[in-house]
């Protein structure tokens, strides 16, 4: 049970009194100097006496001391508009700081404990893999036994979550589909006609409630979203993936993917027609011509089709998509040709990502016309297509479409690849598997981009997805930390949780099942790779407990002129409280505090 009452000034002082004795100085500059020297001293002492300490404690001291020293600097104060040194100084002197929340005290306490090599949490690997005094074959056999136990533990964690490929899930969905066929009064072959799916996108809350059980809150937000003119819709196929027993939680991620939260609806409704403020990635600043976005040297984004069969709630482009399968979403011939000519005039570009919107929701004829235009450009070596139809409408991948896409593949000269977005194992179905197989057997690679949201962030939840994707022939490509968009705060997860997941969970999978890179999308700059600490700095902990990161541009080692971007994260304590509310044992996440 998570007890936030402990996180206050007196409790923190009682746990690390020596730190606050040092902080009882005459000036804030003295506080900076004393605490920095303290952190340096703890690091030196730990590494000097390393033979008496566990490796995990040594690394914890190093990481926490490094983070603390950086946060104590004047530059960090200026960037953050808040002073960690000043807060510690006030706490030491007993000054009232009503602005400091339990989430702030929780971060501060765990940081100071970490500098001393203390703090909660032991990774699963450390619990099950222990050093052996044996050598040779005996050591290998003992190590293998421990690895068997670790692998078994991972499989037990996987068993907590539902996959859409299990026999039980397939039976449930077949029964629900049969019920929907009767309600729509159509035969099975009509259900598998993607045009029928598009023509019957579900937008009305009462109609959706007649087909699947909705909570009162879900019905309310759907109604509110439609009244506010927000883009919303669900394909009949995707609705059939939802359960009749939502309280069981199997389909939590599926519902959250398309049914907006109340905070999302309220925020977007307040904006009205001013949705351009939701352009988190500042695409308008990197669009040299209509329909084209370019952030990197050899690739550009081409957006000829500005809609999808259904809208992901946290869509990056929610500011420019009006509704699912909106009439007129296909760009004009003139704009398409102008964009293609611009790309052709820049032979440094060797790859085009066709996205939108979902370009595979276009007709075959329109897809062919777009691909013909891209393929005519001599410099293009790879055509990449971004599409979520594998999940929202897998029957769209017909043999005819697969043959069409394969026509543009020229081994050794031009590659065709599809990047999809499967969010949870429960989204996977035999229909998804069939759609993927139609492409891969024609030599078209399929990759996945996972957005790491709250609804897929439980222990080993994303790892199970990676394992199953790889078995279907979908290579994990990117795992995105959910963007820091104000309207999607209900979906965001602390960066520390994704770092923890990569190290303590994904790392236990075979290499070909964890080929994805964990990244944070920096506004206006693009992908910041999280595997390396030198791509970012933790500069402060704000009064609300949120960590403040300074992200460096991808080209920082090439150009010295690019600025950085400062982004506020989600408070870890708030995230743990949400996990606790859905029944998670938050003690399993204790090491989250020590990922920076």
């Amino acid at each position: 049970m998570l007890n936030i009452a402990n996180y206050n000034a007196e409790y923190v002082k009682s746990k690390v009194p020596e730190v606050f004795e040092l902080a009882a100085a005459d000036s804030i500059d003295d506080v900076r100097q004393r605490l920095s020297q303290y952190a340096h001293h703890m690091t030196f002492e730990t590494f000097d006496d390393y033979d008496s300490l566990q490796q995990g404690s040594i690394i914890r001291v190093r990481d926490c001391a490094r983070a603390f020293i950086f946060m104590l600097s004047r530059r960090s104060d200026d960037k953050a508009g808040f002073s960690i040194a000043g807060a510690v100084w006030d706490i030491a002197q007993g000054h009232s700081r009503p602005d400091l929340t339990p989430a702030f005290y929780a971060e501060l306490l765990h940081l100071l404990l970490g500098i001393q090599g203390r703090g909660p949490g032991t990774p699963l690997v450390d619990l099950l893999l222990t050093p052996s005094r044996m050598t040779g074959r005996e050591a290998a056999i003992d190590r293998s036994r421990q690895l068997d136990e670790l692998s078994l533990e991972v499989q037990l964690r996987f068993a907590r979550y539902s996959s859409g490929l299990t026999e039980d899930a397939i039976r449930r969905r077949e029964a629900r589909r049969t019920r929907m066929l009767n309600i729509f009064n159509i035969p099975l072959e009509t259900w598998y006609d993607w045009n029928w799916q598009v023509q019957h996108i579900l937008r009305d809350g009462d109609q959706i409630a007649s087909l699947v059980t909705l909570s009162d809150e879900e019905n309310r937000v759907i109604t509110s979203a439609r009244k506010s003119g927000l883009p919303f819709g669900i394909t009949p196929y995707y609705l059939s993936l939802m359960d009749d027993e939502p309280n069981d939680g199997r389909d939590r991620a599926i519902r959250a993917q398309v049914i907006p939260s109340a905070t999302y609806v309220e925020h977007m409704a307040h904006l009205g027609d001013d949705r351009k403020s939701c352009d988190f990635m500042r695409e308008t600043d990197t669009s040299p011509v209509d329909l084209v976005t370019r952030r990197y040297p050899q690739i550009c984004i081409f957006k000829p089709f500005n809609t999808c069969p259904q809208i992901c709630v946290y869509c990056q482009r929610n500011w420019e998509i009006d509704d699912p399968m909106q009439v007129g979403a296909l760009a004009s011939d003139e704009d398409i040709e102008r964009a293609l000519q611009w790309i052709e005039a820049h032979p440094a570009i060797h790859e085009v990502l066709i996205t939108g919107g979902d370009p595979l929701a276009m007709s075959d004829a329109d897809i062919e016309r777009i691909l013909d235009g891209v393929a005519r450009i001599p410099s293009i070596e790879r055509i990449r297509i971004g599409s979520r139809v594998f999940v929202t409408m897998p029957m769209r991948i017909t043999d005819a479409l697969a043959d069409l896409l394969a026509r543009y593949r020229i081994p050794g000269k031009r590659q065709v690849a599809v990047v999809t977005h499967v969010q949870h194992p429960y989204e996977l179905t035999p229909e998804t598997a069939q759609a993927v197989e139609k492409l891969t057997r024609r030599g078209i690679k399929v990759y996945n981009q996972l957005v790491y949201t709250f609804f897929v962030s439980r222990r080993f939840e994303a790892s199970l997805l990676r394992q199953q994707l790889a078995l279907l022939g979908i290579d994990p490509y990117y795992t995105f930390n959910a963007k820091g968009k104000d309207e999607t705060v209900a979906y965001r997860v602390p960066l520390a949780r994704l770092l923890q997941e990569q190290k303590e969970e994904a790392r236990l999978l075979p290499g070909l099942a964890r080929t994805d890179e964990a990244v944070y999308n920096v506004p206006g700059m693009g992908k910041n790779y999280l595997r390396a600490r030198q791509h970012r700095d933790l500069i402060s902990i704000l009064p609300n407990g949120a960590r403040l990161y300074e992200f460096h541009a991808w080209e920082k080692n090439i150009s010295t002129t690019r600025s950085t971007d400062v982004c506020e994260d989600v408070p870890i304590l708030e995230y743990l409280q949400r996990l606790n509310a859905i029944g998670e044992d938050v003690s399993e996440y204790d090491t989250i505090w020590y990922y920076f």
Side-chain angles (χ1 to χ4, degrees), residues 335-349:
D335 282 348
I336 289 173
E337 182 57 30
R338 191 177 300 112
L340 291 170
Q341 288 178 3
W342 186 91
I343 297 170
E344 190 168 8
H346 293 78
I349 296 172

Side-chain angles (χ1 to χ4, degrees), residues 29-59:
D29 285 336
D30 286 342
V31 173
R32 291 186 211 278
Q33 185 177 27
R34 289 185 181 188
L35 294 183
S36 296
Q37 288 175 345
Y38 169 74
H40 278 296
H41 174 74
M42 292 302 298
T43 304
F44 179 82
E45 289 294 315
T46 299
F47 277 80
D48 196 48
D49 294 334
Y50 70 94
D51 48 353
S52 64
L53 297 171
Q54 292 185 342
Q55 184 66 17
S57 295
I58 295 172
I59 298 304

Side-chain angles (χ1 to χ4, degrees), residues 91-147:
I91 294 168
Q93 302 204 36
H95 295 162
S96 175
R97 288 296 300 263
D99 59 320
L100 303 181
T101 64
F104 172 85
Y105 287 115
E107 275 280 12
L108 181 62
L109 175 60
H110 287 100
L111 184 63
L112 297 178
L113 289 174
I115 292 172
Q116 299 177 349
R118 300 160 59 198
T122 302
L124 181 63
V125 173
D126 288 351
L127 291 173
L128 296 176
L129 297 184
T130 57
S132 173
R133 294 183 178 180
M134 294 178 280
T135 59
R137 183 59 57 81
E138 286 186 342
I141 292 172
D142 185 56
R143 171 77 173 181
S144 183
R145 175 190 59 78
Q146 293 183 39
L147 290 171

